[in-house]
Amino acid sequence: MVAIDRRAFVAASGSALIASDLARAETPAVDKTVWAMMSHAARDAAYNNGTAVADSTQIVDRWVAASTAFRAQHPKHLDLAYGPGERNKWDVFPSDNPKAPCLVFIHGGYWQARNREHFSCFAEGVLAHGWSCAMPGYTLAPAATLTQIAGEIRSALDWFGAQAGALGIEGPIILSGWSAGGHLAALALDHPIVKAGYAVSGIYELGPIRDTYLNEKLKLSDEEIVTLSPLRLPSVDKRLVIAYGTAELPVLIHNSRGFHAYRARSHHAGGLFPLPHANHYSGIEQLRSPDSLPTRTLLRLAEDIA
């Protein structure tokens, strides 16, 4: 009898569509190769955005510098604790209009890097239109499991729902996130305070992650793959725009396309939003501009739920 590699089998069974999409993508690292038969190096490369975008370090450094300046200009509601953890804090940038929509943005970093302070500058686009913006932090792996991280986001939203009025925020809340934050936003779309969502470059199927370098800190369990993969959970009947850059890694493009198709089968509202020529970093960076396609999409999303 031939021995079966259990982890390879779980990854393959959970990502058959990803494997076929990668094969069609004609990408050298994964061309016509079934995921379960790929080398470890090839699997790592399929998710390594930093390597895929040569100037990613410089891009993020630019965000950090811009966010530091932005926080200095908006110091009033920073580091508001919602839980006992060091990272269990909010940064809130209220509008002068309490009834304006509020963008809640969850940062990325594959659940194990970066922090909310690096992304403060992403509030600029919607604030220019009179919105509020708020950004929660969360404990990173390996200090927290993905189950704990997802739970912290829900606790953060519980806190925000109770405190938003006192902070001058009474308008509809649109939940957003980038990369790992897109995944967390999709998981929390059903939270009672959330009216709609805008997920960017998210990971909606976790199965393949366990056979990559990302799992060294995440240590995903079988149960987490099933219960924390949005593509394996009942679709949430709220409007969700799913955005991705057309120059992203094929596996991330497939995650967005696949999640949109999955939601469409339940007739749940929200569009698929390819960002032309954008990579994993330049796509989300467009949120900084008041006139960008992503910012205008958020404005339309707020109109749709009004």
Side-chain angles (χ1 to χ4, degrees):
M1 181 178 293
V2 177
I4 296 176
D5 183 332
R6 183 185 62 83
R7 291 181 60 197
F9 178 78
V10 170
S13 63
S15 58
L17 289 176
I18 289 177
S20 62
D21 188 74
L22 288 169
R24 290 193 297 272
E26 300 296 334
T27 304
V30 293
D31 183 26
K32 303 185 186 303
T33 307
V34 177
W35 176 264
M37 301 302 293
M38 289 167 62
S39 69
H40 190 78
R43 292 174 179 179
D44 285 351
Y47 283 88
N48 195 326
N49 293 295
T51 298
V53 180
D55 60 344
S56 60
T57 299
Q58 291 76 17
I59 293 172
V60 174
D61 287 346
R62 183 167 66 241
W63 297 350
V64 173
S67 294
T68 299
F70 182 88
R71 291 166 65 81
Q73 296 165 2
H74 301 81
K76 188 174 181 180
H77 299 297
L78 303 181
D79 303 319
L80 305 178
Y82 70 84
E86 179 182 355
R87 289 174 171 264
N88 294 163
K89 295 176 182 177
W90 280 90
D91 291 335
V92 182
F93 309 106
S95 168
D96 292 334
N97 175 11
K99 301 296 185 182
C102 178
L103 179 68
V104 169
F105 182 86
I106 306 173
H107 75 80
Y110 273 143
W111 309 278
Q112 56 195 271
R114 314 200 192 287
N115 57 57
R116 72 188 189 284
E117 295 98 314
H118 294 171
F119 294 83
S120 301
C121 64
F122 288 90
E124 293 170 338
V126 295
L127 260 62
H129 291 279
W131 286 35
S132 297
C133 186
M135 300 186 179
Y138 53 90
T139 307
L140 302 179
T145 66
L146 191 51
T147 298
Q148 292 168 328
I149 291 170
E152 286 186 0
I153 293 299
R154 299 195 75 86
S155 294
L157 292 172
D158 290 343
W159 180 93
F160 194 71
Q163 301 297 324
L167 293 168
I169 297 173
E170 301 172 8
I173 292 170
I174 295 178
L175 183 61
S176 182
W178 167 71
S179 195
H183 162 265
L184 294 170
L187 279 182
L189 186 65
D190 65 338
H191 193 279
I193 72 168
V194 175
K195 299 302 181 185
Y198 179 82
V200 188
S201 305
I203 299 92
Y204 308 112
E205 167 55 55
L206 298 175
I209 293 288
R210 193 161 63 174
D211 287 299
T212 72
Y213 72 102
L214 298 172
N215 202 47
E216 293 172 10
K217 292 183 178 179
L218 287 171
K219 295 179 170 49
L220 293 169
S221 67
D222 288 346
E223 182 179 5
E224 286 178 317
I225 288 172
V226 172
T227 61
L228 299 179
S229 290
L231 268 165
R232 303 192 188 204
L233 300 174
S235 183
V236 177
D237 190 11
K238 294 181 184 178
R239 192 173 296 272
L240 176 66
V241 174
I242 300 169
Y244 68 92
T246 62
E248 294 210 55
L249 289 167
V251 70
L252 293 182
I253 292 175
H254 178 84
N255 263 261
S256 292
R257 289 175 175 171
F259 190 39
H260 175 261
Y262 177 73
R263 284 178 47 83
R265 287 197 290 273
S266 297
H267 307 289
H268 290 157
L272 183 65
F273 186 21
L275 299 168
H277 314 297
N279 61 43
H280 194 64
Y281 300 88
S282 60
I284 188 61
E285 190 168 37
Q286 295 178 41
L287 272 183
R288 294 186 60 189
S289 169
D291 300 319
S292 68
L293 283 173
T295 302
R296 294 203 302 269
T297 297
L298 283 171
L299 298 179
R300 290 194 296 271
L301 183 57
E303 293 173 355
D304 289 341
I305 62 174

